[in-house]
Amino acid sequence: MVGKKIKRGLRVSRYVIYKETLVDYREHFWSFVGAFAGIGIIAFLQSLQLSRLENIFLIGSFGASSVLVYGAIQSPLAQPRNLIGGHLVSALAGVTVAQLLPDIIWLTAPLAVAISIVLMQVTKTLHPPGGATALIAVSSGAKIKAMGYLFVLSPVLSGACILLLTALVFNNMTPHRRYPTTNRFTSYIRGVLSRNRS
């Protein structure tokens, strides 16, 4: 009896280890293409509007979002509601903290991140890069602080929308990838894509 349980446990362990170490080149290819296109579009739009020294539109948290929306598309944290909502409420939290409190980084930085986490939890939009968005709003210097709530609209909302639209295109180009995974929204997107293909 004990011997059977041990053998079964070993078989399950080998199977799990085997599945986890498989390399799916198609998955990696589409993750690369999606991330390249999404960040590339944002960077291109920045290059049209801003000088090379101003990285206002291309914020670092978009890189982390790309990992989720192109590389971990099944994750609940990568879904559209989380991507858009997480960045949006975090940017609002960060800008509000930056506007209301004096520029004391040891106070504003943790407060912005902590508030953004709670807001994402309350609104069910938890998206880890949102914490970075809140931190950017309070720690990136005078230009972003001077933007005030415009920072929420652009670069945050507009950039997150670009990442989402790119993810919808590249994550649904092949039959083995489906994004988003939520039922109602997925059905709508699949319907739109199938009408466009026919």
Side-chain angles (χ1 to χ4, degrees), residues 10-23:
L10 287 172
R11 274 197 323 270
V12 169
S13 298
R14 273 186 280 195
Y15 177 76
V16 169
I17 291 169
Y18 170 75
K19 290 295 277 182
E20 289 299 316
T21 57
L22 284 177
V23 176

Side-chain angles (χ1 to χ4, degrees), residues 46-183:
Q46 175 179 299
S47 71
L48 294 177
Q49 296 177 343
L50 303 167
S51 73
R52 287 178 52 193
L53 300 176
E54 296 181 44
N55 287 332
I56 293 174
F57 196 63
L58 189 62
I59 59 175
S61 54
F62 290 157
S65 290
S66 295
V67 173
L68 288 169
V69 300
Y70 305 116
I73 64 175
Q74 302 300 317
S75 170
L77 305 176
Q79 301 312 303
R81 174 188 176 110
N82 299 72
L83 171 67
I84 302 295
H87 277 296
L88 198 59
V89 299
S90 297
L92 284 167
V95 170
T96 301
V97 167
Q99 296 292 319
L100 295 178
L101 296 177
D103 193 13
I104 304 170
I105 197 68
W106 59 264
L107 176 64
T108 57
L111 191 59
V113 173
I115 290 172
S116 74
I117 291 170
V118 171
L119 287 176
M120 287 188 286
Q121 288 173 324
V122 167
T123 59
K124 298 187 182 341
T125 58
L126 195 62
H127 186 66
T133 298
L135 190 59
I136 290 166
V138 297
S139 66
S140 290
K143 286 194 179 189
I144 288 183
K145 189 170 183 177
M147 290 176 73
Y149 287 99
L150 285 177
F151 175 75
V152 177
L153 297 176
S154 183
V156 176
L157 181 60
S158 58
C161 287
I162 289 169
L163 292 178
L164 174 60
L165 292 173
T166 309
L168 290 172
V169 171
F170 287 100
N171 289 339
N172 291 297
M173 289 184 87
T174 64
H176 64 279
R177 284 174 70 97
R178 285 288 170 244
Y179 177 83
T181 59
T182 52
N183 295 337

